[in-house]
Amino acid sequence: MAGNNSYTIVEYFGGDDGYRCGYCKNEKGNFSHGMWSHTLTVQDYQDLIDRGWRRSGKYVYKPIMNKTCCPQYTIRCHAGKFQPSKSHKKILKKINKFILKGVVPKEHETGEPMDSACEVPGSREPSKGMQCAITDIQKEVADCQHITEVDRNEPDVTPTGSETPRKDPGSVLDGRTTATAPKPGIGVDPNRPPCRKAKDLRRERRHQKEQMKHTSVGVSSTLTISPPTPTPSSQTKTLEDFLSETCPDGSAHCLEVRLVPVCFEDPQFTASYQQSVALYTRYQMAIHGDDPSECSESEFRRFLCDSPLAAEYSVDGPVMGYGSFHQQYWLDGQIVAVGVIDILPSCVSSVYLYYHPDFAFLSLGSYSALREIAFTRQLQKQSSKLSHYYLGFYIHSCPKMRYKGQYRPSDLLCPETYVWITIEQCLPHLENSRYARFNPNLDEGDACVLKDVGRVLVLHRRTVMPYSVYCRKQKGSGDETEVKEYATLVGQNCAEKILLYRA
């Protein structure tokens, strides 16, 4: 997947002294480990989030689960097996009524429980001098000297081939088959086609018109859900059935979803950037009560635009590639919500969502999650292993954050053995204790723990070497405890391929 010049370079900061919790408001109760990711490959980040890490901009952190006030468990949904619940269908119908007929719910919702920027620990950054040094190193690391002392057999590190050319963004659109609507049959004449519901005919005509429109325009980044096969009335409607009804002819409003790569060289991203910043600021002030200085353009850029993930492409991957994206929701020509997501080898990972406060009655938080699940299912058709939707952290001790457990089937990550356990098995443990080990096999430990800290890969003075060699060169570095802690947290697979920066 990654090319020869793709590396992950991190600086590990260790644990912190506690900071304010955005959930229970404890001023010093939130504890986490953190590191600064100068560059991060999508596979390395996939491996890290499967060990409980999560990024905020370029800062990657992992809660200290048995110490923090509100333990945060990584949660994932099996997108392919997901079926919308009654409450999900209610939200989808509400959106469709608003778009079709302009119907505004009588009881306006004041908002939804959403992740807040305040949940993120006070991210630490390297000094400016160190940042410049790392920038220089990134340019030269492909040609730097490698000192090896241990044999490592890691198929994931070896590139599978050269990167494929970037695909035309227009190919994001699903292929559609146009068909002429058959005329209704008369009686039971077997020579004539069967009768079809008017709703199905209207839907088919709409998709034909959309296809003609996109064909005439050329390149488009609009995301559309593949038109489902007409569902008989006796069968349960799928998620795609509900989402395909969002922009018919003659509707009161028009909703368009666009996938835009987080890249300042991308014309669509730059064209909508200022509008997106204004929306973020308005959302943070209205929903989370932020001061204007806390949600400035620089904070927006650091938090939601500065991604360590470089765009990567693979022959057997999704057509838009891997990396960080903004999924923009355009209502009648204006952005009303933006879902920030990472597309990784095995999942779509939700980073953040911000929306226009005036449209809180549409439950855009839940709606965007449903959209992202459908998007994951769409990507799975292109890359079979991309089958999960990660919702970030599940926080059972905070009742308003339990909504993430409603997207099922889903799993929680065991904080001790890093295996996935169904949420149904986890909830009884969390009812009894804030912190819990989910794996029922008490004899099982972390299968990916690194036993030999000397195998940790280190980047020192533009040279890649095992930590054991680094220690000999330094004649006793004195940081073995910190490096051992880092290796335990990231696991053997990451410790032996991620470059840990040493000054």
Side-chain angles (χ1 to χ4, degrees):
M1 177 189 303
N4 289 325
N5 297 331
S6 295
Y7 292 87
T8 290
I9 304 175
V10 301
E11 282 182 71
Y12 179 63
F13 294 138
D16 52 41
D17 297 327
Y19 51 91
R20 185 175 185 274
C21 176
Y23 302 107
C24 69
K25 311 306 179 185
N26 188 319
E27 291 296 330
K28 290 290 184 178
N30 208 342
F31 294 87
S32 70
H33 299 280
M35 56 188 181
W36 186 263
S37 55
H38 295 275
T39 61
L40 189 59
T41 68
V42 291
Q43 184 59 61
D44 286 342
Y45 186 49
Q46 178 72 65
D47 294 339
L48 286 173
I49 63 174
D50 284 338
R51 291 186 65 85
W53 292 84
R54 181 167 166 80
R55 78 173 185 88
S56 169
K58 291 188 175 183
Y59 186 75
V60 186
Y61 64 100
K62 175 179 167 59
I64 303 177
M65 300 292 282
N66 58 357
K67 186 178 179 181
T68 192
C69 54
C70 296
Q72 302 162 52
Y73 300 89
T74 303
I75 181 172
R76 71 178 187 183
C77 170
H78 296 259
K81 300 177 182 178
F82 173 79
Q83 286 293 337
S85 65
K86 289 184 178 179
S87 61
H88 294 149
K89 292 178 182 178
K90 183 178 179 181
I91 291 170
L92 293 167
K93 290 177 181 178
K94 176 172 62 177
I95 292 276
N96 288 343
K97 283 184 179 180
F98 175 75
I99 292 172
L100 288 168
K101 303 177 182 179
V103 175
V104 176
K106 294 181 180 179
E107 297 181 1
H108 285 202
E109 299 180 25
T110 57
E112 304 177 83
M114 296 297 298
D115 285 336
S116 168
C118 62
E119 82 170 271
V120 179
S123 60
R124 296 161 57 183
E125 298 185 15
S127 64
K128 291 185 178 179
M130 193 172 293
Q131 284 180 304
C132 294
I134 288 291
T135 301
D136 294 337
I137 291 169
Q138 289 170 198
K139 295 177 181 178
E140 300 180 23
V141 71
D143 302 318
C144 73
Q145 181 182 3
H146 288 253
I147 300 178
T148 59
E149 186 178 71
V150 291
D151 292 327
R152 293 182 289 111
N153 183 16
E154 295 182 57
D156 289 342
V157 179
T158 304
T160 57
S162 59
E163 296 182 2
T164 57
R166 180 163 185 170
K167 297 190 173 58
D168 189 337
S171 62
V172 172
L173 289 171
D174 290 327
R176 300 180 180 83
T177 56
T178 57
T180 306
K183 297 180 180 179
I186 301 176
V188 292
D189 188 347
N191 296 320
R192 291 180 177 272
C195 294
R196 298 176 64 188
K197 291 184 178 181
K199 179 177 68 175
D200 293 336
L201 294 174
R202 289 197 300 271
R203 183 184 305 167
E204 189 172 62
R205 285 197 298 269
R206 182 178 72 250
H207 286 304
Q208 291 180 32
K209 291 181 67 175
E210 287 179 355
Q211 185 181 23
M212 292 175 63
K213 179 176 66 175
H214 292 309
T215 301
S216 61
V217 171
V219 175
S220 172
S221 63
T222 305
L223 281 178
T224 57
I225 301 300
S226 300
T229 303
T231 305
S233 57
S234 60
Q235 294 183 11
T236 304
K237 293 180 72 173
T238 66
L239 177 59
E240 286 76 11
D241 287 328
F242 286 101
L243 295 177
S244 65
E245 300 176 356
T246 55
C247 200
D249 294 334
S251 58
H253 300 283
C254 180
L255 177 65
E256 184 182 4
V257 184
R258 302 177 187 174
L259 185 71
V260 180
V262 180
C263 175
F264 285 94
E265 296 178 359
D266 183 87
Q268 293 187 78
F269 181 78
T270 54
S272 59
Y273 178 75
Q274 290 300 331
Q275 188 180 165
S276 195
V277 172
L279 179 63
Y280 167 77
T281 301
R282 187 166 187 171
Y283 169 81
Q284 291 296 135
M285 293 175 63
I287 304 300
H288 295 298
D290 282 4
D291 185 85
S293 62
E294 298 176 298
C295 49
S296 62
E297 179 180 349
S298 61
E299 280 299 303
F300 169 78
R301 185 164 183 158
R302 178 199 65 79
F303 180 38
L304 299 175
C305 298
D306 288 346
S307 171
L309 300 174
E312 297 182 30
Y313 302 90
S314 174
V315 174
D316 58 351
V319 294
M320 72 288 298
Y322 303 100
S324 299
F325 296 83
H326 282 188
Q327 198 158 5
Q328 302 173 339
Y329 296 79
W330 292 74
L331 182 67
D332 301 331
Q334 297 294 321
I335 302 178
V336 295
V338 177
V340 184
I341 60 174
D342 291 331
I343 300 179
L344 304 176
S346 301
C347 74
V348 169
S349 175
S350 174
V351 178
Y352 201 64
L353 174 89
Y354 52 100
Y355 58 83
H356 198 300
D358 291 351
F359 293 93
F361 64 89
L362 290 177
S363 305
L364 291 172
S366 298
Y367 180 73
S368 67
L370 295 170
R371 272 276 181 180
E372 287 168 9
I373 290 174
F375 179 53
T376 305
R377 285 150 69 131
Q378 190 174 346
L379 296 185
Q380 189 178 11
K381 296 177 182 178
Q382 304 170 20
S383 180
S384 58
K385 66 178 182 179
L386 207 164
S387 58
H388 290 98
Y389 172 61
Y390 284 47
L391 295 93
F393 289 134
Y394 174 80
I395 308 166
H396 192 79
S397 58
C398 182
K400 70 175 183 178
M401 296 306 297
R402 295 181 183 179
Y403 73 96
K404 294 184 179 182
Q406 299 172 2
Y407 299 88
R408 299 190 182 183
S410 58
D411 307 315
L412 297 184
L413 186 68
C414 177
E416 295 182 9
T417 61
Y418 303 107
V419 296
W420 295 98
I421 307 295
T422 62
I423 195 170
E424 289 82 2
Q425 294 177 266
C426 301
L427 294 181
H429 297 286
L430 295 176
E431 289 294 337
N432 296 325
S433 173
R434 290 191 173 198
Y435 172 76
R437 170 195 169 105
F438 301 139
N439 191 337
N441 186 353
L442 299 180
D443 296 328
E444 188 174 337
D446 180 5
C448 295
V449 66
L450 181 64
K451 297 178 181 179
D452 181 7
V453 69
R455 295 171 65 90
V456 172
L457 210 55
V458 168
L459 176 63
H460 174 61
R461 294 184 178 178
R462 292 179 170 80
T463 304
V464 177
M465 65 188 76
Y467 180 67
S468 57
V469 176
Y470 169 77
C471 288
R472 286 205 301 270
K473 284 179 170 289
Q474 297 296 105
K475 296 181 180 180
S477 63
D479 61 356
E480 184 175 350
T481 300
E482 178 182 291
V483 174
K484 186 177 294 184
E485 179 184 69
Y486 157 81
T488 300
L489 293 170
V490 302
Q492 179 176 354
N493 189 33
C494 287
E496 293 184 351
K497 63 177 179 175
I498 289 178
L499 306 185
L500 177 63
Y501 178 75
R502 300 278 93 180

